[in-house]
Amino acid sequence: MTKGSQLGKHGAGTGTNVQDTCILKFILRGKCMRAKRNVTGRWQIRNWNGTIVLVSFMISTHDFILPVTAGEENKATLLELGAVEPLTKLLTHEDKIVRRNATMIFGILASNNDVKKLLRELDVMNSVIAQLAPEEEVVIHEFASLCLANMSAEYTSKVQIFEHGGLEPLIRLLSSPDPDVKKNSIECIYNLAQDFQCRATIQELNAIPSILELLKSEYPIIQLLALKTLGVITNDKESRAMLRDSQGMDLLIKILETKELNDLHIEALAVIANCLEDMDTMVLIQQTGGLKKLLAFAENSTIPDIQKNAAKAITKAAYDPENRKLFHEQEVEKCLIALLSSESDGTKIAASQAISAMCEHSGSKEFFNHQGIPQLIQLLKSDNEEVREAAALALANLTTCNPANANAAAEADAIDPLINTLSSKRDGAIANAATVLTNMATQEALRGSIQSRDVMGALLAPLRSANTVVQSKAALAVAATACDAEARAELRNSGGLEPLVELLRSKNDEVRRHASWAMTVCASDELMATELCRLGALDILEEINLSVSRKNKFSEAAYNKLLNNNLSLKYSQTGYLSSSNIIGDGFYDYGRINPGTKLLPLKDLCLQEPNDIRAILLVNSKSSDVSPPPSTEDKSSDIGYGRSISSSSSLRRASKEKTRKNSYHFSAGVGSPTEEKSEPTSGRNTALSKGTTKEKGLRKGRGKKEEEKVKEEEELITVPKWAGEGSPEKEWYPPFDPDFCVYVYEVTKSILPINSIKEQIEALAKYVAEKMGGTIPKDKLQDFSWELHISELKFQLKSNVIPIGHIKKGIFYHRALLFKALADKIGIGCSLIRGEYGRAWNEVKLMNKSQKGVIGGLPPPEVYLVDLMFHPGGLIKLKSREADLYRFL
């Protein structure tokens, strides 16, 4: 492949006057050596045993200066002897022969790393570049360019060559008649072209035509270096245009068509790949038939590396939409599908990547729906992780926003290999597989198939990955697949909620966004929402939403979704409950809290001693007199209310207990009001709800108020156990509100049957006002002594928590809460809004009857404020002065 000294030939002899038979002696490191001129005219230094250790040496006037070493050992020896620095001075010697030989020495010496370092320190680059002048001999050009080629392998030397103007003479030497000079020059230019500043200068110096001429060289090494150089400089758009204008594409296609140049095909394809990024070049190559030749060449080649590089060229070009269109017209998809069947993994990877790029074209996506998807799914089963990753990427792009391809993938049995890929060792494969599953899960039928394959368990490891892309895609897959209760339960049971909550702490925006999205989906179940809150999701989301840079629409949605399952916190933080926020048993109004403030659980609030803080209002119609058996629930002992009411007999039983309300107190353990507590007996297993008469009997038997007082104090500071020896700690229940239970019964019986929603609202408003102290004229509001009443209740109940039914003198926020709680029980839609200075009100939406039948559809309902204070039952239009007076004055 090479001729001369580097390419199979060298320059002539040294041209000295020393006789051929001259025997010279040198003392070098204590060794005696001899010099003799060989048949080429070069001098050789040999050991006495005949081994050649030095080749060619210089003559300065009448003295032999120093021979140049042929081996690394001798180069190191010269360096140790300090010969390099004196030799650098000879590069500018007035004697042409001395300069030539000095240049030859440095051409060879510069291959040694230590010599390179010393030459950089001695700053000889300018002297070496000067030897490239046109008037110098070819042999000097050869070794000076060789020196620069060796030096340019390191960045610092590249900078020195560039700064001393080395590019221009090197480009000129590309036209040298000597192949060694061409080879050294193009090698140096290739090294320099790695730097973008050098590439710009190469373009300015119009080097591309000279480099293209090297492609016609008879020496493959020169052709190869030329192609490599073109492969680098054509990364710039301007260089690609220059190559196109210089008919470079014709030369490259001819190289591909020449089988004898198959060792250059890979590099030629790399240049073509760059050029195909240019739309004008793409059009040109298509018009001249080169594109069809390129695709045929890629498909028919038997060399895996050539197929791989051809696919890479298609990939690179296919990122441009116009190029994709041209490729599609040339049916590039058939070529890529054929390459998927290659035995080479590298070719399979490259073809899969090309398919991924072509997927941006809708026509290609449709083509691969019929062919290509089954082959890609087969690649998912490959033992090569990179093949699986590339195939998964192609499938991810094919199925994105394309239900037909998602169905085609499912029909080709993609689900199992995709789920198996989630346990791959490569993060890219995991992320791509999760994306495909997400795309498929958008269709309900496919989602069911995915869920049946234990996808939640398979997503557990990706959720815990350290890679943010994997975390993001896994969270998105959870959001797509956890759309029903069974899937969410599976996620919870497999331990997937903990890592999902941890992803909310991620510093990556996309991870937080997708984790919040998944959180929004998972919080659809009250049980899931409760578990997420227990794991700290609500606190993390609140912290995120307080940050301007970290919050996003999904984090706000997730937070609101969790708040909707914790209405007590929502009302305290936002001061607003919508008509869809149904107040249930256990709801409590703590009052306004600032963002970031933690709301204490109801149990902790019940255990606090009474103090001067605002009374906490509790809504609870569910009896706590429940003692569930070890294995089954005693459903008959519960009185539970949603939108429906339980049996009237239970309500009547609660009504009878109303007469004892003034003697109620709260038990810290049970949290339900009782007249007095019986002594704990280990043998009692009956329900607490059946113990009312027993309590009376025990109280009569006990008979001492001191014992009663001691018993009450013990109950306030201890948590009683379930009856029975060795039983675990008793479950805590919120205090029962029998009065509110009666309210629910009464409004259900009297108001629910009313047919008109407006009349229901008016009747309920009057009912609430009646229970809370009646109508209060505006001028008598200051005389309404509700504060004293609330203080008496706190003292009487020995707690800051007051059941809403106990309050008989209530103002705005008491009445508004009671109205909302009762309205939710009987299905009247209303909102609850907290105002300033103890104000709160309810808003309802009603249709305007006068606008019924208007053409063009029903008008939006009008919003009214419900008057519970001054004219109970009155409905005030929200956008009115009267409404403003009610809310703010």
Side-chain angles (χ1 to χ4, degrees):
M1 187 179 293
T2 61
K3 297 182 179 181
S5 58
Q6 299 169 70
L7 301 172
K9 65 177 185 177
H10 262 305
T14 59
T16 63
N17 296 322
V18 184
Q19 296 182 0
D20 294 352
T21 57
C22 177
I23 300 296
L24 302 171
K25 291 185 179 181
F26 292 84
I27 304 299
L28 184 60
R29 301 184 71 181
K31 297 181 181 178
C32 186
M33 302 184 181
R34 58 178 180 166
K36 184 176 181 181
R37 179 176 289 179
N38 62 17
V39 294
T40 64
R42 300 279 177 111
W43 286 89
Q44 295 176 343
I45 307 300
R46 297 175 179 266
N47 284 324
W48 288 115
N49 62 5
T51 304
I52 298 176
V53 293
L54 304 172
V55 177
S56 186
F57 56 90
M58 300 180 303
I59 298 176
S60 176
T61 314
H62 302 292
D63 301 321
F64 291 102
I65 304 302
L66 198 61
V68 100
T69 58
E72 289 299 319
E73 181 182 352
N74 294 322
K75 294 174 187 176
T77 299
L78 287 173
L79 184 63
E80 291 175 7
L81 290 173
V84 175
E85 186 171 357
L87 281 170
T88 59
K89 299 175 182 179
L90 298 181
L91 288 171
T92 56
H93 197 277
E94 60 183 13
D95 190 297
K96 193 171 185 178
I97 296 176
V98 173
R99 277 203 320 276
R100 180 183 64 192
N101 289 332
T103 304
M104 293 169 65
I105 289 175
F106 280 115
I108 299 173
L109 273 179
S111 64
N112 182 277
N113 290 330
D114 294 328
V115 173
K116 287 181 192 176
K117 182 178 179 181
L118 180 57
L119 289 177
R120 285 197 302 271
E121 294 172 356
L122 295 174
D123 195 17
V124 300
M125 207 62 71
N126 200 35
S127 300
V128 176
I129 292 172
Q131 307 308 311
L132 301 179
E135 61 272 14
E136 295 291 350
E137 297 180 3
V138 172
V139 68
I140 293 180
H141 288 168
E142 175 186 343
F143 284 94
S145 59
L146 177 61
C147 177
L148 292 176
N150 287 330
M151 294 288 289
S152 64
E154 297 180 359
Y155 177 75
T156 307
S157 298
K158 290 180 190 178
V159 173
Q160 291 181 349
I161 295 172
F162 177 73
E163 291 178 348
H164 286 89
L167 265 174
E168 186 174 0
L170 285 168
I171 291 172
R172 187 183 66 248
L173 290 180
L174 294 179
S175 303
S176 171
D178 188 90
D180 284 321
V181 176
K182 289 181 179 179
K183 182 263 180 187
N184 296 336
S185 299
I186 190 61
E187 183 177 1
C188 185
I189 292 172
Y190 168 70
N191 291 335
L192 292 174
Q194 309 301 318
D195 181 75
F196 75 96
Q197 286 183 313
C198 293
R199 288 200 298 271
T201 304
I202 290 171
Q203 177 191 329
E204 292 172 3
L205 294 172
N206 196 28
I208 288 182
S210 300
I211 298 174
L212 288 173
E213 281 299 315
L214 297 183
L215 297 180
K216 302 173 184 178
S217 172
E218 59 181 304
Y219 301 105
I221 184 63
I222 294 178
Q223 293 174 306
L224 183 63
L225 286 169
L227 285 171
K228 284 187 174 183
T229 306
L230 289 171
V232 175
I233 63 178
T234 52
N235 284 314
D236 301 326
K237 185 176 181 180
E238 293 79 7
S239 296
R240 293 196 292 268
M242 291 180 66
L243 185 139
R244 181 186 68 244
D245 296 340
S246 302
Q247 285 76 47
M249 291 304 298
D250 293 337
L251 287 172
L252 294 171
I253 295 295
K254 285 180 181 178
I255 289 175
L256 293 181
E257 291 177 328
T258 307
K259 293 183 179 180
E260 292 76 11
L261 299 179
N262 57 9
D263 54 339
L264 302 177
H265 287 172
I266 294 174
E267 298 300 333
L269 282 170
V271 182
I272 292 174
N274 289 342
C275 293
L276 290 181
E277 292 185 57
D278 184 69
M279 185 58 199
D280 293 334
T281 304
M282 186 73 171
V283 172
L284 175 66
I285 194 174
Q286 186 208 21
Q287 291 175 348
T288 58
L291 185 57
K292 187 169 287 188
K293 291 179 183 178
L294 175 63
L295 297 179
F297 171 78
E299 187 174 352
N300 299 327
S301 176
T302 57
I303 302 175
D305 283 345
I306 290 176
Q307 290 182 319
K308 177 180 72 176
N309 283 276
K312 286 183 176 181
I314 295 170
T315 304
K316 205 167 187 179
Y319 288 121
D320 183 272
E322 293 298 324
N323 287 350
R324 288 195 293 270
K325 182 179 178 182
L326 293 175
F327 274 136
H328 180 63
E329 291 173 357
Q330 297 294 324
E331 297 184 325
V332 70
E333 296 88 356
K334 292 182 179 179
C335 171
L336 295 176
I337 291 173
L339 294 180
L340 288 177
S341 304
S342 170
E343 295 182 0
S344 167
D345 286 342
T347 303
K348 293 175 183 176
I349 294 169
S352 299
Q353 291 170 342
I355 291 174
S356 300
M358 285 300 300
C359 283
E360 295 294 325
H361 189 273
S362 58
S364 294
K365 250 184 182 179
E366 184 179 350
F367 183 94
F368 290 123
N369 175 264
H370 306 290
Q371 302 178 56
I373 287 180
Q375 291 90 326
L376 289 168
I377 291 171
Q378 287 302 313
L379 296 184
L380 288 177
K381 304 173 184 178
S382 171
D383 294 332
N384 188 312
E385 294 283 353
E386 291 186 43
V387 172
R388 295 170 69 188
E389 178 179 355
L393 175 61
L395 287 170
N397 290 342
L398 281 169
T399 56
T400 299
C401 301
N402 196 305
N405 283 348
N407 278 320
E411 290 171 3
D413 299 325
I415 296 176
D416 286 331
L418 283 169
I419 291 178
N420 292 335
T421 306
L422 292 176
S423 59
S424 170
K425 296 178 181 178
R426 293 184 67 87
D427 290 335
I430 299 171
N432 295 332
T435 301
V436 182
L437 291 170
T438 301
N439 295 337
M440 296 173 69
T442 56
Q443 301 181 61
E444 187 174 354
L446 300 185
R447 184 167 63 246
S449 299
I450 294 171
Q451 290 168 348
S452 66
R453 289 346 194 262
D454 190 27
V455 67
M456 293 305 180
L459 285 170
L460 199 58
L463 287 173
R464 290 174 172 157
S465 171
N467 185 290
T468 55
V469 176
V470 174
Q471 292 172 348
S472 171
K473 300 301 183 184
L476 194 59
V478 170
T481 53
C483 294
D484 54 60
E486 289 184 6
R488 289 191 287 269
E490 183 183 346
L491 178 67
R492 184 182 69 250
N493 296 335
S494 64
L497 294 183
E498 291 87 345
L500 193 61
V501 171
E502 282 303 310
L503 293 185
L504 292 174
R505 303 180 188 273
S506 173
K507 295 180 180 179
N508 183 278
D509 291 342
E510 189 175 83
V511 172
R512 286 198 310 275
R513 186 162 55 247
H514 289 170
S516 299
W517 190 349
M519 206 70 64
T520 305
V521 175
C522 291
S524 299
D525 290 342
E526 185 175 352
L527 184 62
M528 289 283 285
T530 302
E531 180 67 11
L532 289 170
C533 290
R534 186 188 70 79
L535 294 171
L538 196 62
D539 296 334
I540 300 171
L541 286 167
E542 182 180 4
E543 179 186 345
I544 291 172
N545 292 331
L546 289 174
S547 170
V548 177
S549 60
R550 297 175 63 205
K551 73 176 181 179
N552 56 73
K553 295 296 183 183
F554 293 104
S555 66
E556 292 173 350
Y559 184 69
N560 290 331
K561 197 68 175 284
L562 288 175
L563 275 184
N564 287 338
N565 287 280
N566 191 341
L567 295 182
S568 300
L569 178 60
K570 179 177 183 178
Y571 189 52
S572 292
Q573 283 195 349
T574 67
Y576 177 79
L577 294 180
S578 69
S579 58
S580 62
N581 297 139
I582 307 302
I583 290 179
D585 295 322
F587 173 88
Y588 60 101
D589 176 13
Y590 180 84
R592 190 190 307 275
I593 62 173
N594 295 322
T597 305
K598 195 171 184 64
L599 180 64
L600 291 176
L602 179 60
K603 180 179 179 181
D604 293 350
L605 294 172
C606 287
L607 295 177
Q608 289 180 350
E609 291 292 329
N611 52 41
D612 58 355
I613 68 169
R614 173 190 180 280
I616 300 160
L617 307 182
L618 172 66
V619 176
N620 186 38
S621 62
K622 191 172 185 179
S623 173
S624 60
D625 296 340
V626 180
S627 179
S631 58
T632 61
E633 291 184 358
D634 184 4
K635 296 182 181 179
S636 63
S637 65
D638 284 348
I639 301 178
Y641 301 91
R643 281 191 173 272
S644 60
I645 189 70
S646 65
S647 67
S648 59
S649 61
S650 299
L651 291 171
R652 292 193 188 96
R653 177 169 58 85
S655 178
K656 292 178 182 179
E657 295 177 1
K658 181 178 178 182
T659 57
R660 291 181 284 124
K661 65 180 182 300
N662 292 331
S663 61
Y664 289 164
H665 70 271
F666 287 163
S667 166
V670 179
S672 62
T674 57
E675 186 174 13
E676 285 191 5
K677 300 291 180 181
S678 61
E679 293 180 356
T681 54
S682 59
R684 183 168 65 90
N685 290 317
T686 58
L688 294 176
S689 61
K690 299 178 181 179
T692 304
T693 57
K694 184 184 291 186
E695 288 175 351
K696 293 180 180 178
L698 290 173
R699 185 182 66 228
K700 292 177 181 179
R702 198 179 301 124
K704 292 184 178 180
K705 292 185 179 180
E706 291 80 10
E707 292 178 357
E708 293 174 1
K709 184 176 181 180
V710 169
K711 181 62 180 176
E712 289 174 357
E713 291 176 351
E714 289 176 353
E715 288 178 339
L716 285 172
I717 61 175
T718 60
V719 179
K721 308 290 183 181
W722 284 110
E725 294 183 1
S727 61
E729 183 177 326
K730 182 178 179 180
E731 183 179 355
W732 184 87
Y733 289 97
F736 175 51
D737 187 352
D739 292 314
F740 179 69
C741 194
V742 172
Y743 295 168
V744 175
Y745 170 70
E746 291 178 352
V747 299
T748 303
K749 183 177 180 181
S750 61
I751 298 176
L752 184 60
I754 300 174
N755 293 327
S756 169
I757 295 179
K758 182 175 182 294
E759 293 176 4
Q760 283 184 332
I761 294 170
E762 291 171 346
L764 182 60
K766 292 175 182 177
Y767 180 88
V768 168
E770 178 188 346
K771 299 300 179 182
M772 286 282 183
T775 303
I776 305 173
K778 291 183 180 179
D779 56 348
K780 301 293 184 181
L781 183 60
Q782 300 298 327
D783 301 329
F784 188 62
S785 57
W786 64 273
E787 297 98 334
L788 179 60
H789 173 62
I790 297 298
S791 298
E792 289 174 348
L793 286 175
K794 289 171 66 174
F795 177 77
Q796 181 181 343
L797 299 173
K798 297 182 176 62
S799 174
N800 293 316
V801 180
I802 301 177
I804 192 69
H806 284 55
I807 300 175
K808 305 308 175 187
K809 288 186 177 182
I811 59 164
F812 294 92
Y813 72 91
H814 304 112
R815 298 184 183 204
L817 176 59
L818 180 58
F819 183 89
K820 168 69 173 169
L822 292 174
D824 287 345
K825 294 294 184 183
I826 61 175
I828 297 176
C830 76
S831 59
L832 174 62
I833 300 98
R834 188 196 307 281
E836 300 291 341
Y837 308 112
R839 297 291 173 109
W841 60 90
N842 304 102
E843 293 177 4
V844 295
K845 293 181 179 180
L846 295 173
M847 293 297 300
N848 190 336
K849 291 184 178 180
S850 63
Q851 295 183 356
K852 280 189 176 181
V854 176
I855 297 174
L858 291 174
E862 293 188 10
V863 182
Y864 294 89
L865 185 148
V866 182
D867 189 340
L868 301 172
M869 292 286 291
F870 310 128
H871 302 92
L875 298 179
I876 310 169
K877 283 190 176 182
L878 189 63
K879 295 181 180 180
S880 66
R881 186 174 183 277
E882 188 180 356
D884 292 340
L885 290 174
Y886 187 91
R887 291 179 296 177
F888 307 122
L889 296 178

